[in-house]
Amino acid sequence: MLDRADLRAFFAADAASVAERLIGWSLFIDGVGGRIVETEAYDSDDPASHSHRGRTPRNGAMFGETAHAYVYRSYGIHWCLNFVCDAHRPGSAVLIRALEPLAGQDRMAERRGTAAPALLCSGPGRLAQALGIDASHNGRDLCAPPFELQPPAGPSQVWRGPRIGISKAVHIPWRFAVMGSPFLSRPARL
DNA sequence: AAAAGGATTAAT
DNA sequence: TTAATCCTTTTA
């Protein structure tokens, strides 16, 4: 099985590598979650990253321990979940952008206000709402409850391309997704 | 002290 | 295409 040392080793690598290899893993919070089908990488050398201008009260968790969560408020409305990575480059993290729902869909539907499978976890804000993520999860250990991470059952065909919703460093191809998945925040093309 | 600007989403 | 919405960070 998967122990804490395995997870720490997995998250020790650079953000793009972790973002790519995270595709196909499963994430559950209190038993609610699914397969990670879309991620994006960010690090402190990256002008699009919250960590680019150094540590602040908001992004502190990004500079904390690897294999912990960084949760931030987006547009004053949504929560977004990241996994802190790269022990050698503080300020690195992977944004979890979409899940293929596998467990607790009823709970997700309650929280989201819709039962349409493709609208439950397809986007970072939607995903956080479906899983009940909020500021209380910021800085928490991903190796401990309520988080649960499981390695992929089999290989995924991973697509790679430019990130979404940013205005700087738009050309860097640090968005990763399961090719052809109907659960992505936006189609994986270009 | 004031203004800008979002790693988004749902509605128009 | 635009509004919603809030609060962190930046600038004056």
Side-chain angles (χ1 to χ4, degrees):
Chain A
M1 266 311 270
L2 182 73
D3 66 18
R4 185 162 308 222
D6 294 329
L7 267 186
R8 288 190 66 82
F10 181 88
F11 283 106
D14 66 274
S17 161
V18 173
E20 180 168 30
R21 289 180 295 116
L22 212 38
I23 297 295
W25 281 66
S26 290
L27 163 70
F28 304 96
I29 295 181
D30 288 323
V32 177
R35 176 182 177 224
I36 296 172
V37 294
E38 182 181 346
T39 60
E40 283 180 358
Y42 292 88
D43 74 27
S44 58
D45 291 332
D46 165 18
S49 173
H50 291 168
S51 60
H52 185 58
R53 291 176 170 268
R55 186 173 191 157
T56 66
R58 170 170 86 152
N59 68 18
M62 265 187 109
F63 293 84
E65 291 184 67
T66 63
H68 283 232
Y70 164 48
V71 177
Y72 68 91
R73 189 87 139 140
S74 176
Y75 289 88
I77 304 169
H78 307 99
W79 298 103
C80 292
L81 172 67
N82 296 254
F83 293 169
V84 178
C85 62
D86 199 341
H88 299 292
R89 190 177 309 218
S92 301
V94 174
L95 173 66
I96 311 302
R97 289 192 56 93
L99 302 181
E100 173 183 341
L102 293 178
Q105 287 95 331
D106 50 345
R107 195 89 178 79
M108 293 182 185
E110 283 175 28
R111 292 166 168 158
R112 291 275 304 118
T114 175
L119 294 178
L120 293 178
C121 300
S122 301
R126 291 168 170 174
L127 176 166
Q129 185 180 35
L131 270 57
I133 303 268
D134 61 29
S136 72
H137 296 89
N138 190 40
R140 308 255 315 249
D141 188 353
L142 299 175
C143 304
F147 292 95
E148 185 182 353
L149 279 170
Q150 295 175 0
S156 299
Q157 189 169 10
V158 179
W159 172 95
R160 174 178 190 156
R163 295 172 294 182
I164 291 176
I166 54 174
S167 58
K168 299 166 187 165
V170 295
H171 59 284
I172 300 178
W174 278 1
R175 178 180 176 226
F176 301 89
V178 172
M179 185 94 67
S181 170
F183 300 99
L184 306 182
S185 64
R186 287 172 50 178
R189 51 181 162 69
L190 182 68

